[in-house]
Amino acid sequence: MVHRRFADSCLILLIAGSFLSCGGSSSMPPSVVQQPSSQTVTIGQVATFAVTAAGTGPLTYQWQINAQPIPGAIGVSYTTPATRITDDSSQFQVMVSNSSGQVTSTSAVLWVHPPPDVTTFHNDGLRTGQNLSETYLTLQNVNPATFGKVGFLPGDGKVDAQPLYLADVPIQGQGMHNVVYMVTEHDSVYAFDADSGALLWQSTVLGAGETSSDDRQCTDAVTPEIGITSTPVIDRGRGANGAIYLVAATEDSSGYFHHRLHALDVASGAELFGGPTEIQAQYPGLGDGTNGANVVFDPAQYFERAALLLAKGVIYTSWASHCDIEPYTGWVIGYDESTLQQTRVLNLTPNGDHGGIWMSGGGPAVDDAGNVYLSDGNGLFDSTLDANGFPSKGDFGNAFVKISPTAPATVTDFFTPHDTTVQSAGDYDLGSGGAMLLPDIVDNAGKIWHLGLASGKTGYVYVVDRDNMGKFDPLLDNIVDVIPACCPPFGGLYGPIFSTPTYFNSTVYFGAVGSPIEAFAISDGRLSLLYTMLSSNTFPYPGATLSISANGSANALLWAVENGATGILHAYDATNLTNEVYNSGANPTRDQFGSNKFIAPTIANGKVYVGTPTGVAVFGILPATQ
């Protein structure tokens, strides 16, 4: 109840938006005391407009949108339905009436933002795997009764890369569309309407007379053909409409193998910037594949599994072998995103062997300064160190490395386990897991920590300070923490890592092989040695690369794809992993999609996209329940 005193000294009482006179028979026409305010929301959210009005006698209200009455909107406030139109910019106002007249409020504008884009593996350069602007999917509507497979985007080959998503793409002659991008091992790129599933365009990146590569006698990896394996990366600011960058493997009519970097227009699939560019490189060294002075990149020996990274205008590619078939070493090769010209070449084992970079499909990570972080596989590590604690011959096999943001690319810091030689000899490489950087962590003393995580086939989790990564000590690991894979439930992981962890709300989640999903809390700047949450079910090889969707900190869902005979999509309450809210296996006929390993689900604008052997399965709210 609000009291106001007017000039005639009569006390007016405002009750539920109406003014009642305390005496006399004079009539007061309506007036707007507080105007409605403009609202900004993301697609899927509601907006509420409210007004405070004054006047004698009962007041009536009629809300309008763009000067047209809204049926049933006759209260002091109006809440819109869940918004669905990108950049609505509609105008809302209310007409207030009583027996003495009427008045119309000023207009308030509803601005609707498009859903966030997914332009890179695991959503961001830190590789956290979180979409914190998902407004459709909630803990209430993701369940077997209202959520399931709602579509399928067919392709001409296996989909091993994570699907990417852009909102509001101007497709020539077709207007604006929300678009899902899919690449296949048959060297094709597809753009689908994310709302209708209609094909917008399709491009092949095969050269004239070429086919996709064969499996290079490595049938336990990608088979029967290798085309586009790694997750592409998109920059909306390049070209007229934006560019999607990808690497394709091909074989020509003479039996020679090629890897090429392509940049395609996101609206049409047309090649940009004079591309594609052939991947070629040399680096000083006498290691495997040397010509006596330089190690040479032989396209027949290399395979790009790791996702692309865009950092400070550079597209980073990273390379592994086919089934450890020698000779090979560990390459990182960077290209200018505007010209596709090579600007970075780094070999991590130039005077040794092995050290390939694959991370089970994960990608190199990047910090705000442009430093690049990655884990490489089993390979030679020079345990003889120079005066700065670096390997004397520049061989960083089985290490977690930090690479300079400027050319020439150099390793500026690193960590490798004290038993790195034993790990490499036993094929227990650190590089089987994807690296992840944590957002800034503040401890109880107010110190800000810049932490990074790496884990591989041993199941040990290595937590490093990115400002001082610890380098190498043959006796112990001089890092922030080592979480051992020794003895769950008393500490550590249940199994080896062939996946990338995810982060949400001071918690890190791992999906190890043969293991439940495990959550480790961050407190006082440290990762807990004991898991704090555990899912009830386990995941067979290769475990699971996890993704998070949430609306800020609310309705947090943890998503995981289980490899197996048919493939299963799981969704959990991210704050309580014992609460599995959805399992596609509960409706095998309706929700079956086909199994594929190393898959990272993409969550965008109320849909979940999962790569399969023949295309992308689309999950969402079932039409009958919307």
Side-chain angles (χ1 to χ4, degrees), residues 418-428:
H418 70 277
D419 58 346
T420 185
T421 301
V422 174
Q423 288 189 21
S424 287
D427 193 28
Y428 291 111

Side-chain angles (χ1 to χ4, degrees), residues 245-316:
Y245 299 85
L246 56 99
V247 169
T250 66
E251 183 176 356
D252 65 27
S253 57
S254 299
Y256 292 104
F257 296 89
H258 304 267
H259 298 286
R260 298 187 182 96
L261 174 64
H262 298 258
L264 305 184
D265 186 289
V266 298
S268 67
E271 291 273 3
L272 297 174
F273 315 133
T277 291
E278 190 94 12
I279 306 291
Q280 299 174 322
Q282 296 188 34
Y283 191 84
L286 301 175
D288 270 10
T290 186
N291 61 10
N294 298 295
V295 286
V296 179
F297 181 86
D298 179 357
Q301 291 299 110
Y302 290 98
F303 172 49
E304 197 198 35
R305 166 76 78 176
L308 295 183
L309 171 68
L310 170 60
K312 303 295 184 181
V314 177
I315 304 293
Y316 288 89

Side-chain angles (χ1 to χ4, degrees), residues 159-233:
V159 178
D160 287 311
Q162 180 180 340
L164 301 178
Y165 178 96
L166 293 182
D168 279 356
V169 179
I171 304 297
Q172 186 173 8
Q174 302 182 59
M176 306 295 284
H177 292 261
N178 297 328
V179 182
V180 173
Y181 295 90
M182 175 181 82
V183 296
T184 75
E185 296 290 357
H186 200 63
D187 280 319
S188 290
V189 185
Y190 294 81
F192 291 96
D193 185 288
D195 303 309
S196 69
L199 178 63
L200 300 172
W201 56 259
Q202 176 184 355
S203 292
T204 180
V205 289
L206 291 169
E210 293 183 342
T211 65
S212 55
S213 169
D214 63 41
D215 61 21
R216 307 300 295 131
Q217 295 80 52
C218 180
T219 56
D220 68 347
V222 175
T223 190
E225 62 178 347
I226 301 173
I228 308 169
T229 304
S230 60
T231 299
V233 66

Side-chain angles (χ1 to χ4, degrees), residues 456-457 459 488 492-499 510-518 534-545 561-563:
K457 292 180 184 177
L493 299 180
Y494 273 81
I497 290 290
F498 289 82
S499 56
F510 293 90
V513 176
S515 166
I517 295 171
E518 296 176 77
L534 201 67
S535 69
S536 58
N537 59 300
T538 61
F539 287 76
Y541 174 82
T545 287
V561 178
E562 178 182 340
N563 189 35

